[in-house]
Every structure is written in C-alpha cells, then in structure tokens.
Amino acid sequence: MNLLKKSLSVLAVAAMAVSLAGCGGSSSSSKSTESGEKVFRFGQSNPKVGLDMQTNSNSGASSVADNVLEGLYRWNDDNKEECVLAKDMPEVSDDGLTYTITLKKGVKFSDGSDLTTEDVKYTFERMFKPETGATSTYMYDMIVGAKDMLAGNATELAGIKVEDDLHFSITLEYKFAPFIANLGMDYASIYPHEACEKAGKDWGKGTNLIGTGPYVITENDEQTKVVFEPNKNYHGGTPNLDRLEVVYIDDNSTKMMEYEQGNIDMCDLNNQLLDQYQNGDFADEITQITPLGTYFLSLKVTDPALDNAKVREAISLAINREELCETVLSGAAE
C-alpha cells in the first residue's frame, strides 16, 4: 500500500501499500486547530456498503469500522497477532478441537455496557443466522453447530459454551490450524448484544455502530465523510486524536488535488500514480507498507483441463511474479 503523508496509500499485489502523508508541506500527520484540538483527516474512496463487518468484506469499510470495533485478537502493523479483548491467546485442547478463552476484565463498550461472554456468543450466533447474510462464514463455519444455524435448523450455536462473564470455549468439528488467525480478522469483531439487537437492520449504518475501540462515530452521512471522537470508555487509555475524519473521495485526481491543497492529511495513492509522485515534490511524503493481504489465483481442480497437477504446476511457473510487481504494480508489491 502507498500512503501519502500528511500521507499517500497504494494497495498492491502480494503486499505493499503506499500512501501520502504530510500533505501540503505539513511536517505533521495531524493538525491542531485554533482551539488546540488534534484533528486527522484521511481521504479514501467510499466503500458504499455499511460498516457491519459481518455483512461485507470490503477493506475500505473495515478501515473505517476498525476505529470503532475490536475483536478478541488483531493483526498489528508488523503482521503479528496480538490479544485485544482476550486476556491471552487461546488454550487449545490436546485433540486440537476446543479453544478456551478468557476475556479481559473491566472492558466496556462505548455506550457504557460491560463486555461479557454473552456478547461473544451473540456475535457468532448472529453471524450464522441466515437472515444476517454474513459473507465470511467460511472462515468460522467449522465451529460445532454453525452449519445447522446456517441451514436454519438451529437457533443457538452448540460449539460455544459460556462458563461465566469472562470465560468461554469454542469447539470445532475438525482441526483447523488457521482458526486462531481468523479470530483476529475484522469479520470476528465483537458486537454488544443489546445495542446490536436494538439497531436491527440499521446496524452499521449512520452512527449505529458501537464497539470497544478507541473512537465513536458522531457523524456519518454515508456519502461524504465519517466523523469520530474519542471513546471515553476505551480500555486502552486516551486515544491520540480529538477528532478523526474519514473523507470520501472516489475520483483519484480529485483526491490528490485535495491532498495537495491541504484539505486532507493522508490518503491512499493509486499505484498508477506512484511514478508521478515519486519523481515530484511529494516524494518525501510517500510511505510504503506491507499490508496483511495477498493476490492469488484459484484453480478448479475438478475441471478436466486442470485436473492434471503438471498442468497446474506449469501455470504457476509461467507467471512472472517479479515482472508483475515491477510493471503492472509499479514496484509497489512483493
């Protein structure tokens, strides 16, 4: 990804992001207003979907929702998984099927309600209800009872057992090595039972998104921008910003103009524009990072044309990955 600083960001193949930060000659990636407020404005395209991360897999939506929502675990900037709402990494049974997890004590949602295991259970059961229309159930449907819920044959998730407010376990139908990693994805963000249930189909729309994260949404017209302010109940201490604004700008040229004029402090940089900005006045404001993402080609091995392993191997060997990274992706990839 490429980020411009004030900040530009380019999403590229198997891994790099470029962004601009430091816009308009500013040496800081956030600005203080006359009142002394620390305000940060990030420009990105409008994902045009709600912020309920169970019902979409849009990375643009997750970049917005991640300021509000948290899961049991998360992937940090070094692509390492770490504890967030869970006290420790799961304790796995000898047969590799049961994961016992303890929640951190004293965590509250931004509405002041306490985080408990009932919220965790509710979150996963909501994921598997057919009416939710969750898009990433394949990452978690190995939990015992998940397929029954998806088929409409059960209303409770048999594989989650609540011991008390802080202790619970998840049991899988079969061993699945990536399960802990998947718990760190956006799609497993934990929702507050009562608030989510009350919002119904409006969950993730407007300001109807409540989590345990550092910020709360105070304004969201779903067209032009989303405004955040600090979550006073945040368990991670005082957030760094007094106000965060995600400004929606779909047109790349318009977005770059807004960056150059200082109207936004950071934005993603389309990889097709990378050469232009690397050789211009904003070269020092470009940051490249390696996101947790990969481009891949899936082959249908049951297709007669692809059922021979040698054919699939030949396809793999024929792809010049280095050339793709250097040409199509302007060097913004690994």
Side-chain angles (χ1 to χ4, degrees):
M1 176 182 284
N2 308 308
L3 294 173
L4 265 185
K5 226 170 166 183
K6 271 174 86 276
S7 227
L8 280 179
S9 262
V10 169
L11 280 180
V13 152
M16 203 159 282
V18 186
S19 74
L20 276 175
C23 168
S26 168
S27 60
S28 171
S29 57
S30 66
K31 289 185 176 180
S32 294
T33 63
E34 291 181 1
S35 63
E37 281 188 317
K38 288 187 290 185
V39 179
F40 184 80
R41 303 159 302 175
F42 181 78
Q44 69 166 61
S45 60
N46 189 338
K48 296 180 176 64
V49 294
L51 302 178
D52 178 359
M53 294 314 299
Q54 286 190 353
T55 60
N56 78 81
S57 56
N58 186 293
S59 59
S62 68
S63 70
V64 179
D66 282 353
N67 297 294
V68 174
L69 304 175
E70 293 180 318
L72 299 168
Y73 308 97
R74 71 173 163 225
W75 291 88
N76 63 26
D77 292 343
D78 296 319
N79 286 342
K80 303 294 184 183
E81 193 168 15
E82 61 186 13
C83 297
V84 182
L85 301 180
K87 182 180 178 181
D88 301 295
M89 299 305 287
E91 180 181 321
V92 185
S93 61
D94 291 339
D95 62 7
L97 297 178
T98 300
Y99 295 71
T100 301
I101 300 172
T102 300
L103 294 178
K104 288 181 179 177
K105 189 176 181 179
V107 177
K108 291 181 179 293
F109 290 100
S110 61
D111 64 355
S113 60
D114 293 320
L115 167 72
T116 72
T117 50
E118 289 298 333
D119 297 303
V120 177
K121 186 172 186 289
Y122 167 79
T123 295
F124 281 93
E125 288 183 337
R126 179 181 184 272
M127 179 190 299
F128 297 120
K129 288 181 178 178
E131 58 266 31
T132 298
T135 57
S136 300
T137 55
Y138 68 93
M139 299 180 74
Y140 311 98
D141 66 4
M142 66 291 304
I143 297 175
V144 171
K147 292 182 175 64
D148 287 334
M149 287 196 68
L150 287 168
N153 297 326
T155 57
E156 285 191 89
L157 190 56
I160 292 188
K161 301 295 184 183
V162 169
E163 182 179 332
D164 56 36
D165 284 351
L166 297 177
H167 301 85
F168 70 101
S169 64
I170 302 176
T171 300
L172 309 185
E173 289 183 2
Y174 51 86
K175 292 181 182 180
F176 187 68
F179 186 68
I180 297 178
N182 287 356
L183 290 178
M185 303 299 285
D186 307 274
Y187 319 124
S189 296
I190 303 303
Y191 296 157
H193 183 178
E194 291 185 7
C196 185
E197 193 76 7
K198 183 178 179 180
K201 293 184 179 180
D202 289 330
W203 183 253
K205 300 177 181 178
T207 58
N208 287 308
L209 192 71
I210 292 172
T212 58
Y215 296 96
V216 296
I217 297 176
T218 58
E219 179 184 338
N220 178 17
D221 62 9
E222 301 185 0
Q223 300 297 321
T224 61
K225 67 179 179 179
V226 184
V227 179
F228 305 83
E229 292 182 1
N231 172 10
K232 296 178 180 178
N233 294 308
Y234 183 47
H235 61 99
T238 304
N240 294 327
L241 301 171
D242 297 307
R243 190 169 77 250
L244 168 65
E245 297 182 6
V246 175
V247 183
Y248 292 143
I249 309 171
D250 289 338
D251 181 73
N252 286 325
S253 297
T254 302
K255 180 169 56 181
M256 299 315 303
M257 186 183 304
E258 290 294 289
Y259 176 81
E260 292 177 22
Q261 293 178 351
N263 295 325
I264 54 177
D265 303 302
M266 186 175 185
C267 67
D268 56 332
L269 172 62
N270 186 285
N271 63 338
Q272 294 180 345
L273 299 175
L274 182 56
D275 283 344
Q276 173 185 336
Y277 280 87
Q278 278 181 328
N279 297 311
D281 295 336
F282 296 93
D284 293 340
E285 298 176 14
I286 298 176
T287 300
Q288 292 187 322
I289 61 174
T290 303
L292 186 65
T294 302
Y295 285 80
F296 59 90
L297 175 67
S298 294
L299 299 179
K300 187 176 181 181
V301 297
T302 55
D303 187 315
L306 298 171
D307 62 4
N308 187 323
K310 292 295 183 181
V311 172
R312 301 195 296 272
E313 183 180 4
I315 292 173
S316 179
L317 292 171
I319 298 173
N320 189 331
R321 294 159 177 78
E322 290 185 2
E323 184 177 14
L324 286 173
C325 290
E326 292 303 317
T327 57
V328 177
L329 295 159
S330 305
E334 291 181 352

